[in-house]
Amino acid sequence: MQFDLSQLDFSVVTEHIEVTLTVAWALLFYIVRRYTKRLIRLNQNIEHDKKRQRINTVDNIFNLFLVVGFILIWSSELQNIAISIAAFMVALVIATKEFIACIVGAFYRASTRPYQVGDWIRIANYEGEVTDSDWLSTTLFEVDLKGGSYSYTGRTTVVPNSVLLVHTVQNLNYMRRYVTHNFSISRNTDDVNLFVIKEQILEKIREYSEHFHEVAIRYNSLIEKRLDIKISGPEPRVRITTTPEGYNIFTVSLFCPTEEAVGIEQKVTEDFMRFWYEERNANWNRQSKSSEASK
């Protein structure tokens, strides 16, 4: 039995050509994008962060092509309704002003490139590692920068791109490897002269920093050349100040690997406490001997 193609009725397809083309375009878009992302993931010669950046770029490009394709397919229909929607343009702009601001922010980000996927950034009051960015928002894995632990908090922040138009963006990517870590210790003013133990603490910091000191010097110079500014480091510094409440503040600043910052802080704090109590006990012993001698 022969099958005659002429007997098929294609009138449904021709009458709804836009729907047919829309379904075909969406299916083709899905297959090509999935295959492209699969090739990127399976490429062993690309670093993990580079893969994330390329996959993010592929998603944005394919989304743009998808929208452009839909517009071209439905262009005739859009032209027919263009006049009827003119009366609603003002209301539409007002209703979608945040959406439009996000799109404009995306173009601003694409033109200035203040950050990319994998960077540590601070936008307004939000800070963390960029894990995704699209036409509407930027997604951050929150990093504990204010607390000084430089670890992931487990929280995710989605920042609308409209924020880019009204707030500054700080790129903190250099802090992923090395950071200028500052911490303070406060003690009573009447017990110990902190200047006595200042040099002892500096020696301990140099001891803990010895294994990465040469790398820190090179990385510090690299950051200064890229930013064209002078930054603190790599030599450790100690500053001693006082408060109106009557406390001495022992502030340490050191340029160290980000993942070692908390560990070194704990070691230095332990050394400080040991030196402080030793010096305080020595002062008490001297005062006791002086009192006995005066009697």
Side-chain angles (χ1 to χ4, degrees):
M1 179 179 179
Q2 293 183 349
F3 186 75
D4 189 0
L5 293 177
S6 62
Q7 297 179 355
L8 294 177
D9 185 8
F10 292 99
S11 59
V12 176
V13 175
T14 56
E15 290 175 2
H16 302 86
I17 186 64
E18 291 87 356
V19 176
T20 304
L21 291 176
T22 299
V23 174
W25 176 245
L27 182 61
L28 177 64
F29 164 84
Y30 173 77
I31 295 173
V32 175
R33 183 175 71 167
R34 183 172 182 179
Y35 181 73
T36 304
K37 292 170 67 174
R38 179 183 176 88
L39 289 178
I40 295 174
R41 290 192 180 98
L42 294 178
N43 193 333
Q44 301 297 328
N45 297 324
I46 304 178
E47 297 180 357
H48 179 67
D49 285 343
K50 290 292 184 182
K51 285 184 180 180
R52 292 168 58 190
Q53 294 170 12
R54 292 188 181 183
I55 289 174
N56 184 75
T57 302
V58 167
D59 282 335
N60 290 335
I61 292 175
F62 273 87
N63 288 337
L64 177 62
F65 284 162
L66 180 66
V67 173
V68 171
F70 287 161
I71 292 175
L72 294 176
I73 292 171
W74 292 92
S75 59
S76 60
E77 298 294 331
L78 292 174
Q79 291 174 1
N80 293 333
I81 65 173
I83 298 176
S84 62
I85 66 172
F88 301 97
M89 286 302 297
V90 175
L92 181 63
V93 170
I94 294 175
T96 60
K97 61 180 181 178
E98 288 297 329
F99 179 83
I100 296 173
C102 289
I103 297 294
V104 175
F107 280 108
Y108 167 76
R109 187 194 70 235
S111 60
T112 59
R113 296 187 65 83
Y115 58 84
Q116 58 185 349
V117 173
D119 286 355
W120 283 13
I121 65 170
R122 179 182 290 119
I123 307 176
N125 296 323
Y126 313 107
E127 53 193 17
E129 178 181 326
V130 180
T131 181
D132 183 45
S133 60
D134 53 34
W135 294 100
L136 297 179
S137 63
T138 296
T139 304
L140 305 177
F141 282 155
E142 189 178 77
V143 178
D144 182 24
L145 300 179
K146 295 179 181 178
S149 66
Y150 312 105
S151 59
Y152 296 107
T153 64
R155 293 187 291 267
T156 301
T157 304
V158 179
V159 183
N161 287 336
S162 58
V163 176
L164 300 175
L165 302 177
V166 293
H167 292 282
T168 59
V169 179
Q170 294 180 331
N171 193 308
L172 312 173
N173 199 41
Y174 76 92
M175 296 175 61
R176 292 190 65 180
R177 289 190 58 196
Y178 276 78
V179 64
T180 301
H181 185 58
N182 299 285
F183 62 94
S184 299
I185 307 171
S186 62
R187 304 301 295 173
N188 292 328
T189 57
D190 297 332
D191 295 326
V192 175
N193 180 5
L194 296 185
F195 284 94
V196 175
I197 62 177
K198 176 180 179 180
E199 190 57 38
Q200 294 174 294
I201 293 296
L202 284 172
E203 286 297 326
K204 283 293 184 180
I205 297 175
R206 295 187 186 102
E207 176 185 335
Y208 301 142
S209 307
E210 184 177 0
H211 65 284
F212 60 79
H213 184 67
E214 296 297 329
V215 179
I217 293 176
R218 293 195 298 268
Y219 196 73
N220 181 266
S221 301
L222 177 64
I223 294 173
E224 290 181 341
K225 289 180 181 179
R226 286 185 177 181
L227 302 181
D228 196 25
I229 58 173
K230 184 70 176 178
I231 64 174
S232 60
E235 295 299 327
R237 295 180 301 169
V238 170
R239 182 186 178 195
I240 299 174
T241 57
T242 61
T243 67
E245 293 77 16
Y247 290 92
N248 286 330
I249 307 297
F250 194 87
T251 303
V252 177
S253 176
L254 67 151
F255 190 72
C256 64
T258 304
E259 65 272 11
E260 296 187 34
V262 175
I264 295 177
E265 175 185 335
Q266 291 301 300
K267 291 179 182 178
V268 172
T269 303
E270 181 180 354
D271 292 330
F272 175 87
M273 293 298 182
R274 184 175 69 255
F275 293 147
W276 190 87
Y277 279 108
E278 289 176 355
E279 186 64 25
R280 188 194 65 172
N281 293 336
N283 289 341
W284 285 356
N285 291 335
R286 285 193 293 267
Q287 292 175 3
S288 298
K289 292 179 180 180
S290 176
S291 299
E292 293 176 359
S294 63
K295 292 179 181 180

